[in-house]
Amino acid sequence: MNCKPKCWKVVILVLAGIAALGWVVMALWNWLLPNLFFGVREIDYWQAMGVLLLSKILFGGFRGHCGGHRKWHQHRLESMTPEEREKFKSGMRGWCGKPGQDEAESKE
């Protein structure tokens, strides 16, 4: 995988965010639920990550990032001129793509 440092920073930030969200779920569960409901025990970090995954499956699904935004982005791309569209695509490839990909395409 040939990613630029920006791409790796995003991956690390996403993983850190998921880990922090798991800790927040654990802290809220252990703070609220044992006091509110009789018989509910405290959970550890990995159980909290399981609850987070289960809630994602039950309530969010795995259909990608906000399906409605895809149509908006598609409409926005279609409204661009061909030059603007190509500039946008080359900028995205340069942000997290193969090294030297932009140079090879610009020579053609």
Side-chain angles (χ1 to χ4, degrees):
M1 181 176 183
N2 296 325
C3 259
K4 291 186 176 185
K6 277 193 234 179
C7 191
W8 287 111
K9 288 178 186 177
V10 170
V11 169
I12 290 171
L13 284 175
V14 166
L15 291 176
I18 292 170
L21 190 58
W23 182 85
V24 168
V25 168
M26 181 188 70
L28 285 172
W29 180 288
N30 292 339
W31 177 51
L32 290 172
L33 291 179
N35 295 328
L36 292 175
F37 301 105
F38 179 74
V40 175
R41 297 180 297 192
E42 291 188 355
I43 61 174
D44 63 14
Y45 178 77
W46 292 110
Q47 289 171 325
M49 292 298 286
V51 168
L52 193 61
L53 179 64
L54 181 63
S55 66
K56 175 67 177 161
I57 292 169
L58 293 176
F59 302 116
F62 289 102
R63 60 183 178 270
H65 179 68
C66 301
H69 289 305
R70 186 175 298 130
K71 290 179 185 176
W72 181 79
H73 288 291
Q74 184 66 28
H75 174 69
R76 188 169 177 193
L77 272 175
E78 289 172 354
S79 66
M80 289 181 180
T81 64
E83 294 84 19
E84 290 173 333
R85 194 175 306 128
E86 185 57 38
K87 183 179 176 183
F88 173 76
K89 286 181 182 180
S90 67
M92 290 303 289
R93 274 186 238 116
W95 186 78
C96 188
K98 294 179 182 178
Q101 186 176 9
D102 289 334
E103 293 85 16
E105 289 181 356
S106 63
K107 291 177 183 177
E108 294 176 357

